[in-house]
Amino acid sequence: MPAYFVVELDITNMDGMADYRAAVPATLAQYGGKFLTRGGGTELVEGGPEPKRIVILEFADAAAIKRWYNSPEYQKILPGRLNNCTGRAFIVEGT
């Protein structure tokens, strides 16, 4: 079953995110992940607060997401995101 890695970000230092953003695609390719959306425009339809930047990645299943997330390649670059934004990340299973 496909699974999705969803991240909601509030970037506090866009320049500080540059190396991370450039490095992510290579880590995804190794684990079968792909971008579905990478920070495009958002429009709040219900509830609140207004979403910031949304990134959605697709993988074959949740286990593939965990292999990617915990991989040495991704863990090496992850501080580039964690040090330059706030937010939350989660896995969603489904079609």
Side-chain angles (χ1 to χ4, degrees), residues 16-83:
M17 290 281 289
D19 290 342
Y20 169 82
R21 290 175 48 111
V24 169
T27 70
L28 291 174
Q30 294 179 52
Y31 296 91
K34 68 178 183 178
F35 286 102
L36 294 183
T37 185
R38 190 177 190 186
T42 61
E43 179 180 346
L44 184 65
V45 177
E46 288 184 22
E50 188 73 34
K52 303 293 184 181
R53 179 179 296 262
I54 304 293
V55 176
I56 303 173
L57 309 176
E58 181 181 49
F59 289 82
D61 53 33
I65 294 173
K66 293 173 186 176
R67 282 191 300 276
W68 163 75
Y69 187 87
N70 293 309
S71 71
E73 299 87 1
Y74 187 68
Q75 288 297 305
K76 180 179 177 181
I77 65 169
L78 180 57
R81 176 171 62 84
L82 298 177
N83 293 335

